[in-house]
Amino acid sequence: MAHRTYEEYCAAVEAEVARFVAIVGEADPAAPVPTCPGWTIIDLTRHHGTTYRWMTHLVRTRATERVWSRDVPLDLPEDVRAYPAWVAESAAILLETLRATDPDRPNWTIGADRHVRFFPRRVLFEAVVHTADAEIAVGREPHVDAATAADGIEELLENLPSFGWVADRVRELDRDGETLHLHATDGDGEWMIRPGDGGFTWERGHGKGTTAVRAATGDLLLLVYGRLRPDDERLEVFGDRDLLSAWLAATGL
C-alpha cells in the first residue's frame, strides 16, 4: 500500500483537526465520551491538544530519548471553553514545525520509525480516532474513508511492537498458532495477524483465520482501536470470538 507524501500527511492532519475542533467546539464540555470511559469532552480535547504540543517539543528539541508529555509546556488556557481554539493553535504550531523540518532527520519517536517523518502519519490517526470519539459523544456515527482507514490499520500494526505496554500484554496472549483475519468489504484490504513467539507478525493477504472479521475498512479501523465492540452490528465475526476479544484487550491504547 502506497503511503501519502509527508506534505499530504500534514494536509490531512490539518483537515482532520478542523473537523475535530468544529465538533468539540459545539459540544457540551461536560458531556461524557463513551469510547473513553471516565472522560468528558474537556478531557478528550485537552488530551488531543497535549499530543500536538508534545510532538512539537520532540521535533523542536531534536529529542534523542523519551520525553513525557507531562514535562512539556502546554500553554493551556484557564477557561475550558477556549480548549477547542487551543487545539487548533497547537496543531498549527506542530504542522508549521514539521513543514520546516527535514522529514528524514533522525528524531526520537514512540514508534518504529525514528525520524521526523514518523510524526505526521502518527498524529493523523490520533486525529482520526479522536474525531470519531467526539462524533460518538455527540450522537453521530463516525465514518472513515477506506484508503485512510487501511493506512491507519497498517500504521497501528507497524507500531504496536514499539509501544512497550502493548508489547508486554501481547507477550502474555498465549495464542500461538492462531490467526486473526481482517477483511475489508469496501476495498481490497485484507490482513492476517498471527500472535506467537512473544509477539506477533502480520501481512497483507487472504487466508483462513482462527477468527475472521468482515466490515467496511473504516469500521475495521475503529474496531482495532477499540472504538467498536466485537458484537457491533456493523461487523461480521466468524470463528473464535475469544481470540478477537483477547487481541483487542492486549492491544488497547
Side-chain angles (χ1 to χ4, degrees), residues 54-210:
W54 174 64
M55 289 187 177
T56 299
H57 180 84
L58 292 175
V59 176
R60 285 185 169 179
T61 62
R62 297 173 175 257
T64 58
E65 59 185 23
R66 177 184 286 276
V67 177
W68 298 98
S69 60
R70 62 176 176 264
D71 296 324
V72 172
L74 298 181
D75 295 325
L76 194 66
E78 293 184 10
D79 186 348
V80 299
R81 291 172 297 183
Y83 278 14
W86 170 76
V87 170
E89 178 188 36
S90 301
I93 292 170
L94 173 61
L95 291 171
E96 180 182 18
T97 301
L98 291 174
R99 284 167 165 149
T101 305
D102 179 359
D104 294 326
R105 195 195 77 194
N107 212 102
W108 182 86
T109 75
I110 197 172
D113 186 353
R114 297 298 175 95
H115 297 86
V116 171
R117 60 177 175 256
F118 166 85
F119 292 105
R121 188 178 182 218
R122 171 89 289 266
V123 80
L124 171 60
F125 298 111
E126 285 275 327
V128 166
V129 172
H130 289 320
T131 297
D133 289 328
E135 288 176 316
I136 291 167
V138 299
R140 302 181 195 171
E141 184 173 306
H143 172 76
V144 184
D145 74 83
T148 298
D151 188 21
I153 290 168
E154 296 196 357
E155 192 271 348
L156 181 65
L157 292 173
E158 289 167 14
N159 286 305
L160 281 176
S162 299
F163 301 159
W165 69 99
V166 172
D168 291 342
R169 295 196 301 249
V170 170
R171 274 194 292 272
E172 298 170 359
L173 266 181
D174 193 27
R175 307 298 294 236
D176 292 19
E178 301 184 21
T179 306
L180 173 60
H181 176 211
L182 303 178
H183 187 143
T185 57
D186 57 348
D188 57 2
E190 292 192 69
W191 299 270
M192 302 292 289
I193 303 168
R194 297 183 174 89
D197 296 326
F200 74 94
T201 59
W202 70 276
E203 63 184 4
R204 300 186 195 111
H206 182 76
K208 183 172 177 55
T210 309

Side-chain angles (χ1 to χ4, degrees), residues 3-22:
H3 292 174
R4 305 181 195 207
T5 67
Y6 185 77
E7 172 53 33
E8 285 170 343
Y9 278 117
C10 288
V13 171
E14 210 161 32
E16 200 63 36
V17 172
R19 291 185 62 222
F20 177 86
V21 168

Side-chain angles (χ1 to χ4, degrees), residues 234-247:
R234 285 167 282 186
L235 308 171
E236 289 184 281
V237 181
F238 306 92
D240 184 359
R241 286 178 172 266
D242 288 344
L243 172 60
L244 176 59
S245 295
W247 173 261

